Amino acid sequence: SYVLTQPPSVSVAPGQTARITCGGNNIGSKSVHWYQQKPGQAPVLVVYDDSDRPSGIPERFSGSNSGNTATLTISRVEAGDEADYYCQVWDSSSVVFGGGTKLTVL
Amino acid sequence: EVQLVESGGGLIQPGGSLRLSCAASGFTVSSNYMSWVRQAPGKGLEWVSVIYSGGSTYYADSVKGRFTISRDNSKNTLYLQMNSLRAEDTAVYYCARAVAANWFDPWGQGTLVTVSS
């Protein structure tokens, strides 16, 4: 089965750039989607189809996907961005989530 | 407004059964791919099942043969029938719409299932 690998944690100071990676075999050939989840809340879509943003999501959130790594980039990080982030793809007729990355804003 | 509201969670003994419901508004369940995703306490997201607009269904290996996804078009509602429940099925269960059969949006607020004696 297909596996997505994310770092368990990423830490960044306010105003800096956070990069969260999602590794998978030839993931560049798949569409990758990213979700933000704050404690006690349901996940929220922040990037879809590798690099598109839903309405209402700040331009600070961007994505890229190539080779074996997809990346969620959050520019000018704010305290409110502190959350868990998950990548997701489809593999055949099933859905795969990465293990999640906890973003800490120092 | 596009919205999903889950219900049916609760405390159930091992080996028991439970049916979760997910009422949709603002869109038609039967015209979309719909999924259940769960999250055990303190853990990450785990995909459980999907029902295609055409009616085909697929399951994670961890629930295959025990869980059944279905929908009631007249009620615009998605269901998850869970049988032979185990302690490891304890989780918050979310329903979600797969937009363009791809990304999930929106998600419901989740319903907690606790399997314990």
Side-chain angles (χ1 to χ4, degrees), chain B residues 45-70:
Chain B
L45 301 175
E46 179 189 14
W47 173 74
V48 173
S49 180
V50 64
I51 183 167
Y52 287 0
S53 50
S56 298
T57 58
Y58 299 90
Y59 301 90
D61 288 343
S62 58
V63 306
K64 201 173 295 181
R66 299 188 299 123
F67 290 12
T68 303
I69 190 172
S70 64

Side-chain angles (χ1 to χ4, degrees), chain A residues 4-70:
Chain A
L4 294 175
T5 301
Q6 297 182 236
S9 63
V10 168
S11 298
V12 64
Q16 299 304 303
T17 297
R19 294 179 179 85
I20 299 172
T21 59
C22 177
N25 184 35
N26 196 27
I27 195 175
S29 67
K30 298 180 180 294
S31 291
V32 180
H33 319 297
W34 292 91
Y35 303 89
Q36 176 193 69
Q37 186 181 35
K38 295 182 178 180
Q41 298 183 17
V44 172
L45 179 73
V46 292
V47 167
Y48 66 96
D49 273 354
D50 298 339
S51 59
D52 289 334
R53 267 187 325 277
S55 60
I57 300 300
E59 292 183 5
R60 302 184 297 104
F61 287 81
S62 62
S64 62
N65 184 20
S66 178
N68 293 317
T69 304

